[in-house]
Amino acid sequence: MRSANRSGFLAPAQTLDCARAVADSLAPHVAEPSLALDAPLARLRGVGPTTAAALSAAGLHTVLDLLSFFPTRHRDVETTVALRDDLVGRVVRFDCEVLGTSRRFLPGRRSLVTVRVAAADGGLAEVAYFNQPYLKNAFVTGARRVAEGTLRKQGRRYVLSPGRLTDPARANVGPVVLRYAPIEGVSEARLRGLLRQALTHADLRTGAVESLPAGLEADVMPWAEAVLAMHQPVSSEQHERARRGFALREAVRVFAVIEQARRRRARATAPPVRFSAELEARLQARIALTWTADQAAALLQVRAALSAATPMGLLLQGDVGTGKTAVAVWGALAAIASGLQVAFLAPTELLAEQHFAKVGQWLEGSRVGVALLTGSLGRKERAAADAMVAGGQAQLVFGTHALLSASTRFARLGLVIIDEQHRFGVEQRQALVRKGEHPHLLVLTATPIPRTLTLALFGDLDVAVLRQRPQRTPPAPARHARGKASLARALHAIARRVARGQGTFVVCPTIGEEDEKHGAIAMHAALSRRFACGLVHGRMQVADRHAAVRRFRAGEFAVLVGTTVLEVGLDVPRATLMVIVEAERFGLATLHQLRGRVGRGSKRGLCVLLGAESQRTRALCRTTDGFEIAELDLALRGSGELLGLRQSGPGELRALDPVADLEMLLRVRQAVQGVGAVHEPG
């Protein structure tokens, strides 16, 4: 059992006694428990070294980890013996016999396996499996299976879409269908079998028992009862009640971290940053930009926070192209003028290098030392850069995760800037903050966060919002190119841009191989026959990626083909066209970020979407407002990934949904703030 109190609140003995009493009452489920919750998963039958490694890669090491791997979705299921029109649109389960299997290959190296089955009443249905050609021989004619899925009708045919066929010995039981996040190397059937073992043999009486702030206990089922309801619910209502209880505990852990950081910052003394009219005039001359009204308001907020006696904690959020970097650099130069060092953490080497180059131009001829620290630096280059940072000669340090390494020490770190904050976990941010004596903190995000969620989840930070774009060029609209001739129309649009001396991005969903039609490698080969074309993807050497971007920025390449490594922060003013291949495979926030890579100069941009329409692509075509996009993305995804919540506490969040649980989040935040002593989770 984990003895550390993960929420920071001590567990009274009576809570443990209550959990044990409930577990005792559930004796049929936990007869003769023989597994401790902290036992390694290798103790489970069927978990050899390969399966254990796959589970470990997913963060599952112990029986407790496995039991805490909750379903991501649940739906009521109708068990039936007959297929009927009144069941269309519902999730059904029925015994069936396999009648036959067919397979056909689709464009782009895709495949479709269709299995025909007959229900007990003789009704016929089909179950389709995409991109699993090996299943052609997995279903023997005449075999008995249990079919489960959403029943649909295509003409006169019944179809399960999505659907699956399972051996009766391994089929789901009960009135609720649960779906788990996929684990590479572990089938869902294998995962369910391991969960059944754990629920049968684990000693649930010793389950997690941390106490909760006053007023929240009534919402939580006893742990042993709740974990059974998560994996073997008797109804959707019971499962949802258990989920909300676990979500509440996760929210308490998140806010314990946030509240601890807020109180620590409130007690600390900040490194002094002194402002004067002369300094502000020098800053304006050095950056030489015309500020929007939003930027001017943000600068006043940064000025007041940096001048205060306590460390600044500011979240600067704004849509793509609203000038967050310029505001951050203004604050950085003010801190440097007071003798402090600034660390600027970026999520990718391309973005760190871009910031380094752009700000280096602004600072040309100044006495400010600027350094770049990335993982691709050679040993001698890295040692030289670390020496400059430690000696204080480098006052403004751009970098990636390399900034977090033990070898990087600052002489007088006074300001930490985190770009694209949702890509870093709290521990990573705090690791950089701890390299200074209570430095100021400025976090940037181009993924706007709805105000209510900002209040709930970033209550330890002040907030500044940028909505206006500095240049007059409006955001790039998105358009669908439909039909068989869509790629030909996209090629025509690219040719027009090339004739005007403008640049085009082409983004593919995968790297692919030479013969994979919509992969980046094959697309680059095809476009290179007509245009000067560069290629950027994650399997390339970093130096080669950077060289391709530099040549595209300089105009040597008319087209730059890549994957989503192009998503974050790339600034090429001459680029006016973004073509996204198989756009339906991308998330809405990613589509909006990609759209923001074009139209950043004096010419308006255009984003062309190839592939099937989806809710996400239709939303992108309907609006260019990043805040509206963020609301839609949260509604569609319903998870903490958009906000970086998956990294914001000690361990992954398994139950908390920041959209569905917003009211709970606000209530938990208020309760945690009322606790006298908040300890950082151990």
Side-chain angles (χ1 to χ4, degrees):
M1 184 181 67
R2 295 178 182 176
S3 59
N5 188 330
R6 298 179 68 195
S7 72
F9 300 95
L10 297 178
Q14 58 264 37
T15 308
L16 177 59
D17 294 336
C18 177
R20 286 174 174 160
V22 171
D24 287 337
S25 71
L26 297 169
H29 295 282
V30 291
E32 299 182 8
S34 57
L35 273 178
L37 292 179
D38 60 358
L41 290 175
R43 291 279 307 279
L44 295 176
R45 187 177 65 258
V47 178
T50 301
T51 301
L55 292 168
S56 179
L60 308 181
H61 309 284
T62 67
V63 172
L64 179 59
D65 292 333
L66 179 64
L67 292 175
S68 301
F69 189 75
F70 298 140
T72 55
R73 289 178 293 151
H74 72 279
R75 289 187 66 180
D76 291 317
V77 61
E78 177 84 13
T79 300
T80 183
V81 295
L83 303 180
R84 310 185 306 270
D85 286 357
D86 64 298
L87 295 175
V88 171
R90 299 176 64 177
V91 178
V92 299
R93 181 189 300 137
F94 58 92
D95 294 332
C96 65
E97 179 183 346
V98 175
L99 300 180
T101 307
S102 62
R103 177 178 63 195
R104 64 190 178 98
F105 289 96
L106 307 173
R109 300 182 69 187
R110 295 179 297 166
S111 67
L112 173 65
V113 171
T114 302
V115 186
R116 299 183 306 281
V117 300
D121 72 331
L124 303 180
E126 294 179 354
V127 182
Y129 292 90
F130 284 94
N131 298 326
Q132 300 176 71
Y134 53 87
L135 292 179
K136 168 67 170 65
N137 301 315
F139 300 101
V140 178
T141 299
R144 307 300 302 182
R145 289 288 184 269
V146 175
E148 186 178 280
T150 302
L151 187 66
R152 307 190 189 281
K153 204 166 186 183
Q154 296 179 358
R156 294 185 175 183
R157 295 178 303 147
Y158 288 112
V159 177
L160 292 181
S161 178
R164 63 179 185 166
L165 299 170
T166 310
D167 186 292
R170 296 185 175 184
N172 290 331
V173 294
V176 183
V177 173
L178 305 174
R179 290 288 181 265
Y180 293 84
I183 298 176
E184 187 172 352
V186 181
S187 68
E188 186 162 343
R190 170 69 65 84
L191 175 67
R192 290 176 186 276
L194 296 177
L195 281 165
R196 279 195 294 269
Q197 279 192 66
L199 289 168
T200 301
H201 299 295
D203 191 353
L204 302 185
R205 295 168 299 183
T206 59
V209 291
E210 70 260 37
S211 65
L212 298 167
L216 299 180
E217 299 93 337
D219 295 338
V220 181
M221 296 167 65
W223 188 86
E225 180 184 345
V227 78
L228 282 166
M230 288 301 289
H231 298 292
Q232 296 178 353
V234 298
S235 67
S236 287
E237 292 75 18
Q238 186 201 46
H239 178 84
E240 177 59 17
R241 186 183 168 211
R243 185 202 67 80
R244 286 185 61 81
F246 283 113
L248 187 144
R249 291 189 183 280
E250 290 174 352
V252 168
R253 291 196 290 270
V254 168
F255 286 120
V257 174
I258 291 174
E259 182 64 10
Q260 197 266 353
R262 187 187 70 81
R263 294 183 186 183
R264 184 174 57 236
R265 188 178 296 115
R267 293 192 301 267
T269 300
V273 177
R274 295 174 291 275
F275 286 87
S276 65
E278 178 191 359
L279 171 62
E280 295 193 44
R282 281 167 42 210
L283 295 178
Q284 182 62 50
R286 180 61 64 181
I287 297 178
L289 295 176
T290 300
W291 303 109
T292 65
D294 284 352
Q295 284 177 309
L299 292 178
L300 289 175
Q301 204 166 343
V302 171
R303 183 186 191 280
L306 288 176
S307 304
T310 56
M312 174 178 73
L314 181 64
L315 171 66
L316 178 60
Q317 58 172 314
D319 204 352
V320 176
T322 51
K324 298 178 295 298
T325 302
V327 172
V329 171
W330 186 91
L333 296 182
I336 290 168
S338 290
L340 304 174
Q341 286 177 296
V342 178
F344 198 122
L345 180 62
T348 68
E349 293 200 5
L350 277 175
L351 188 53
E353 186 184 61
Q354 180 177 281
H355 287 328
F356 175 73
K358 186 173 185 177
V359 175
Q361 292 176 353
W362 288 349
L363 296 177
E364 192 172 345
S366 75
R367 290 175 292 178
V368 176
V370 185
L372 177 66
L373 269 176
T374 65
S376 63
L377 289 179
R379 185 178 300 176
K380 290 184 178 180
E381 293 173 301
R382 176 62 183 271
D386 278 337
M388 287 180 61
V389 175
Q393 294 90 355
Q395 296 140 305
L396 178 54
V397 187
F398 293 100
T400 55
H401 291 78
L403 286 178
L404 307 177
S405 68
S407 66
T408 303
R409 297 182 175 85
F410 290 81
R412 197 185 180 205
L413 181 61
L415 171 62
V416 170
I417 300 173
I418 311 287
D419 201 4
E420 294 298 327
Q421 63 84 28
H422 66 282
R423 291 175 176 251
F424 298 96
V426 164
E427 284 306 312
Q428 291 172 311
R429 299 196 287 269
Q430 290 303 313
L432 189 51
V433 167
R434 285 192 286 267
K435 290 178 180 284
E437 291 292 327
H438 307 299
H440 300 281
L441 175 65
L442 175 62
V443 294
L444 316 179
T445 179
T447 304
I449 303 165
R451 181 176 178 274
T452 49
L453 281 173
T454 303
L455 288 172
L457 300 169
F458 298 97
D460 61 318
L461 303 176
D462 296 320
V463 179
V465 177
L466 303 181
R467 289 180 177 271
Q468 302 162 314
R469 290 163 62 98
Q471 65 259 34
R472 297 177 182 176
T473 310
R479 300 285 185 267
H480 264 293
R482 302 180 182 88
K484 294 182 179 179
S486 59
L487 184 56
R489 290 198 297 274
L491 290 172
H492 185 60
I494 294 172
R496 288 201 305 270
R497 261 59 180 194
V498 171
R500 298 172 190 162
Q502 299 169 7
T504 296
F505 291 108
V506 177
V507 177
C508 301
T510 63
I511 298 172
E513 304 299 336
E514 291 183 4
D515 59 344
E516 190 169 336
K517 183 178 178 181
H518 292 147
I521 291 174
M523 185 63 68
H524 172 258
L527 293 177
S528 292
R529 300 187 190 107
R530 295 188 55 179
F531 312 109
C533 190
L535 177 65
V536 174
H537 61 71
R539 290 207 301 253
M540 297 170 61
Q541 294 291 326
V542 173
D544 294 336
R545 291 206 306 263
H546 291 186
V549 171
R550 282 194 292 269
R551 294 182 67 182
F552 179 64
R553 186 179 281 120
E556 296 178 43
F557 290 143
V559 179
L560 187 61
V561 178
T563 56
T564 51
V565 296
L566 298 173
E567 174 189 349
V568 179
L570 197 59
D571 188 6
V572 182
R574 59 180 291 274
T576 59
L577 179 63
M578 169 66 69
V579 178
I580 304 177
V581 180
E582 294 189 346
E584 73 276 8
R585 297 176 62 177
F586 295 87
L588 182 53
T590 294
L591 290 171
H592 185 60
Q593 285 285 320
L594 290 170
R595 183 239 302 268
R597 297 308 105 214
V598 296
R600 300 173 73 89
S602 59
K603 304 292 184 182
R604 188 174 190 183
L606 175 67
C607 180
V608 176
L609 308 177
L610 304 182
E613 286 192 52
S614 67
Q615 281 184 288
R616 297 186 295 273
T617 59
R618 285 192 291 271
L620 195 77
C621 292
R622 187 171 68 249
T623 181
T624 58
D625 186 334
F627 285 85
E628 184 179 351
I629 290 286
E631 294 272 10
L632 291 169
D633 199 23
L634 276 171
L636 287 171
R637 293 165 68 172
S639 75
E641 293 172 10
L642 178 63
L643 306 177
L645 265 184
R646 295 283 174 193
Q647 305 177 76
S648 65
E652 277 197 34
L653 302 178
R654 301 293 190 186
L656 184 62
D657 182 328
V659 177
D661 300 326
L662 177 58
E663 183 182 344
M664 176 203 296
L665 284 170
L666 295 170
R667 193 156 45 90
V668 169
R669 175 172 175 249
Q670 184 176 16
V672 171
Q673 287 179 337
V675 175
V678 178
H679 305 287
E680 194 165 1

